[in-house]
Amino acid sequence: MKHPLESLVTAGGILLMAFLSCLLLPAPSLGLTLAQKLVSVFHLMDLSQLYTILFCIWFLVLGALEFFLLRFVWRRWFSLAD
């Protein structure tokens, strides 16, 4: 049996963890030579486009990890199932 507030608490927890990730976890920083090489390899316009893509991927990966972590914790310790 699912807890009646499971979906609400999961969504709220993911949002809270996303805010904490944005504030506390640093996004990856590339060196200038590596960044310029990636810009040329992927045919991007400039470094800002590279870092926009990099930050989007970074926070999507962090969000997915946090979702599965919160889901595991919720189902492991707060589930009503016997």
Side-chain angles (χ1 to χ4, degrees):
M1 179 176 170
K2 289 179 72 171
H3 193 278
L5 296 176
E6 180 177 0
S7 58
L8 178 66
V9 171
T10 301
I14 291 169
L15 184 62
L16 178 65
M17 291 298 287
F19 286 144
L20 290 175
S21 296
C22 291
L23 294 174
L24 300 175
L25 296 174
S29 176
L30 305 174
L32 185 59
T33 57
L34 178 60
Q36 288 175 340
K37 184 176 179 180
L38 289 174
V39 166
S40 66
V41 167
F42 293 115
H43 305 291
L44 301 174
M45 299 298 287
D46 56 358
L47 286 176
S48 64
Q49 190 177 16
L50 173 70
Y51 277 106
T52 300
I53 293 169
L54 183 67
F55 291 159
C56 287
I57 292 171
W58 177 251
F59 288 116
L60 281 173
V61 168
L62 286 179
L65 288 174
E66 291 163 358
F67 170 77
F68 288 113
L69 178 70
L70 283 174
R71 193 173 120 194
F72 172 76
V73 167
W74 179 265
R75 289 189 176 177
R76 174 74 168 99
W77 288 294
F78 298 110
S79 178
L80 295 178
D82 291 334

